[in-house]
Amino acid sequence: AGPCDIYSSGGTPCVAAHSTTRALYSAFSGSLYQVKRGSDNATTNIAPLSAGGVANAAAQDSFCAGTTCLITIIYDQSGRGNHLTQAPPGGFNGPESGGYDSLASAIGAPVTLNGQKAYGVFISPGTGYRNNAASGTAKGDAAEGLYAVLDGSHYNGGCCFDYGNAETSSRDTGNGHMEAIYYGDCNVWGTGSGSGPWFMADLENGLFSGANPKNNAADPSISYRFVTTALKGQPNQWALRGGNAASGSLSTYYSGARPSVSGYNPMSKEGAIILGIGGDNSVGAQGTFYEGVMTSGYPSDATENSVQANIVAAKYATTSLTSGPALSVGSHISLRATTSCCTTRYIAHTGATVNTQVVSSSSATALKQQASWIVHAGLGNSACFSFESVDTPGSYIRHYNFGLQVNASDGSKQFNEDATFCPQAGLNGQGNAIRSWSYPTRYFRHYNNDLYIASNGGPDTFDATGLYNDDVSFVISSGFA
Ligand code: AHR
Ligand code: AHR
């Protein structure tokens, strides 16, 4: 059985079921998600390898070979058509044309399930999915349950990495108009014990960890790589339950009455569905989603416990984030452009600005050092890499407003993540493309001889599609210095 078969048996059927990694019903063999590739904007649907099985990641890999791919649709497996697509503007605009949110890279969150490769949905700030016309989801004070499997190590303090029930207008219409899973270390509203990240409920104008709107010490900081979050609500009753998605059972972090603050009892749920954003399309948060559902009715703890056992049996595990020619930690490297204009230019820096400059073995020592980098394990994720400047020890290549800079490390989580990059095989067949860990739609790109992290066809000038594959592909050699 799949999670939704278990919810059905418990009398609380799924009314929305989303996953890019696997079927959530044992009989489901339809499309899990759609991807769109950058080379020609063609789309294809990805289905499970067999009914009830893991997504066919190899079909995605072959469709996306030599180009970029975005996740355009996350299909609803419940049969109700509650699909998730690019979120529209609301109280806040997204970064894309028309105020839409960005779409997730199709390769930002690779994992294995029972040893088979699949991809989750890696949400960077600015990315979001929504359905403002969902059918069958809870409205008003009606009962519902939700669960989601997330990456416990990918979060931030922005508003709001959510999955669940929100406003149909994409605007903040008041307390109690949402009931969504939240994950992160935002401490503007509620908090749990320690410094986070926490699983909380976004009930609109507040992230709640329990009855007290400020703090519930029973809501723990989470350190599992894969985390199960289960939220449910019914008239004057709600619960937060969570655990390690790779082993063991769920714990109850809160179960009891609605917050006493006005507006949350009764609830005024509207029934839209969001992923990666706040109810008003706040787009400051990051996180990774693998699978999740919304039910009709308040699931029993026993039903949720069986769903947790099913998730554990799916055996989520990590896999490599890199491909292409290998890099060695401790080595000194130089990176040569491959666009026909520029094949004698290397990634270098002038002060804080990262650019390309013509460098050769007969260049001055200072220039050779400016064009040489020391490879480190990724400061924000040790499965990827960071690049320290040879002539400025302690300073690393990081992105800032999507430009590349050489800055002294301040040791912060933000800096470490901005300075972490995951090389993969070059998109034009040469060398490596250097993907941003935190914005996996974006790669090192030279544009008018300056360096950016650029998406293929994104909103900025440096995101232009012309020459994209060449501009993002660099041949890595041992360093000039
Ligand atoms: O409740 C927290 C956030 O507050 C909601 O997600 C958003 O709609 C509002 O800004
Ligand atoms: O480069 C994008 C973002 O810009 C970085 O993550 C952040 O440091 C800055 O706000």
Side-chain angles (χ1 to χ4, degrees):
C4 287
D5 303 307
I6 296 166
Y7 279 112
S8 282
S9 307
T12 52
C14 294
V15 292
H18 301 113
S19 178
T20 55
T21 62
R22 64 171 184 145
L24 300 177
Y25 294 84
S26 62
F28 188 81
S29 57
S31 298
L32 298 170
Y33 63 105
Q34 183 193 71
V35 296
K36 181 174 82 169
R37 66 186 174 200
S39 52
D40 59 1
N41 287 324
T43 59
T44 197
N45 288 330
I46 306 299
L49 289 161
S50 58
V54 175
N56 186 354
Q60 174 185 308
D61 289 343
S62 97
F63 181 77
C64 302
T67 186
T68 53
C69 266
L70 299 171
I71 297 172
T72 35
I73 304 175
I74 304 164
Y75 291 108
D76 172 22
Q77 301 176 30
S78 80
R80 289 180 173 270
N82 290 331
H83 313 310
L84 294 171
T85 58
Q86 186 172 20
F92 294 92
N93 281 342
E96 302 291 331
S97 161
Y100 275 74
D101 295 356
S102 300
L103 294 165
S105 164
I107 59 167
V111 288
T112 59
L113 283 74
N114 272 312
Q116 291 173 311
K117 191 174 186 190
Y119 294 100
V121 185
F122 189 103
I123 301 280
S124 309
T127 301
Y129 294 83
R130 195 164 192 127
N131 184 328
N132 280 341
S135 83
T137 48
K139 293 193 170 146
D141 209 25
E144 69 175 348
L146 309 90
Y147 88 86
V149 176
L150 309 172
D151 178 344
S153 69
H154 183 210
Y155 61 90
N156 71 4
C159 176
C160 290
F161 179 73
D162 287 352
Y163 173 71
N165 197 316
E167 293 95 337
T168 56
S169 61
S170 300
R171 286 180 166 72
D172 179 350
T173 50
N175 295 0
H177 285 245
M178 295 177 63
E179 188 168 69
I181 288 166
Y182 165 81
Y183 188 75
D185 66 350
C186 180
N187 57 13
V188 173
W189 293 286
T191 55
S193 65
S195 55
W198 306 285
F199 161 38
M200 298 189 279
D202 190 342
L203 305 180
E204 188 52 278
N205 299 314
L207 305 176
F208 291 87
S209 57
N212 181 320
K214 281 292 165 204
N215 180 262
N216 169 22
D219 191 37
S221 289
I222 304 277
S223 56
Y224 308 123
R225 171 60 177 79
F226 296 100
V227 56
T228 305
T229 54
L231 167 67
K232 51 188 169 181
Q234 64 182 354
N236 199 22
Q237 164 68 35
W238 66 289
L240 289 169
R241 306 181 71 227
N244 184 342
S247 72
S249 54
L250 297 180
S251 301
T252 300
Y253 303 152
Y254 177 75
S255 178
R258 292 288 185 183
S260 55
V261 185
S262 157
Y264 299 105
N265 186 25
M267 294 285 286
S268 308
K269 293 175 248 191
E270 297 190 21
I273 308 173
I274 54 173
L275 172 60
I277 49 181
D280 56 6
N281 198 46
S282 294
V283 289
Q286 64 184 27
T288 294
F289 175 90
Y290 300 108
E291 58 176 81
V293 311
M294 300 167 69
T295 71
S296 171
Y298 193 83
S300 68
D301 285 3
T303 295
E304 290 175 336
N305 295 346
S306 299
V307 169
Q308 165 67 3
N310 177 278
I311 294 164
V312 170
K315 288 202 163 65
Y316 274 92
T318 58
T319 188
S320 176
L321 288 168
T322 61
S323 67
L327 274 66
S328 315
V329 169
S331 66
H332 289 214
I333 61 168
S334 292
L335 302 94
R336 183 177 61 78
T338 64
T339 315
S340 62
C341 59
C342 303
T343 55
T344 58
R345 303 185 76 95
Y346 288 79
I347 297 178
H349 75 105
T350 304
T353 302
V354 182
N355 51 25
T356 62
Q357 298 187 49
V358 176
V359 190
S360 72
S361 54
S362 48
S363 296
T365 300
L367 179 58
K368 287 181 175 174
Q369 291 183 345
Q370 286 161 15
S372 298
W373 310 94
I374 305 167
V375 177
H376 290 268
L379 298 173
N381 185 320
S382 60
C384 295
F385 298 97
S386 294
F387 305 104
E388 184 185 12
S389 167
V390 162
D391 68 3
T392 318
S395 287
Y396 293 80
I397 298 179
R398 62 86 62 96
H399 62 85
Y400 191 84
N401 290 336
F402 307 136
L404 284 184
Q405 303 187 353
V406 171
N407 288 168
S409 169
D410 64 8
S412 67
K413 178 171 175 286
Q414 181 77 60
F415 183 92
N416 289 345
E417 294 179 355
D418 289 351
T420 298
F421 301 95
C422 309
Q424 64 183 71
L427 295 190
N428 70 357
Q430 298 181 59
N432 291 92
I434 321 290
R435 189 174 76 246
S436 163
W437 173 80
S438 52
Y439 289 84
T441 60
R442 296 174 176 273
Y443 295 80
F444 274 25
R445 181 193 196 163
H446 65 98
Y447 194 83
N448 292 336
N449 301 330
D450 280 335
L451 263 289
Y452 301 89
I453 52 165
S455 64
N456 194 2
D460 286 301
T461 333
F462 53 77
D463 297 321
T465 53
L467 297 177
Y468 185 85
N469 280 9
D470 290 336
D471 288 353
V472 302
S473 300
F474 296 88
V475 171
I476 299 180
S477 59
S478 60
F480 283 108

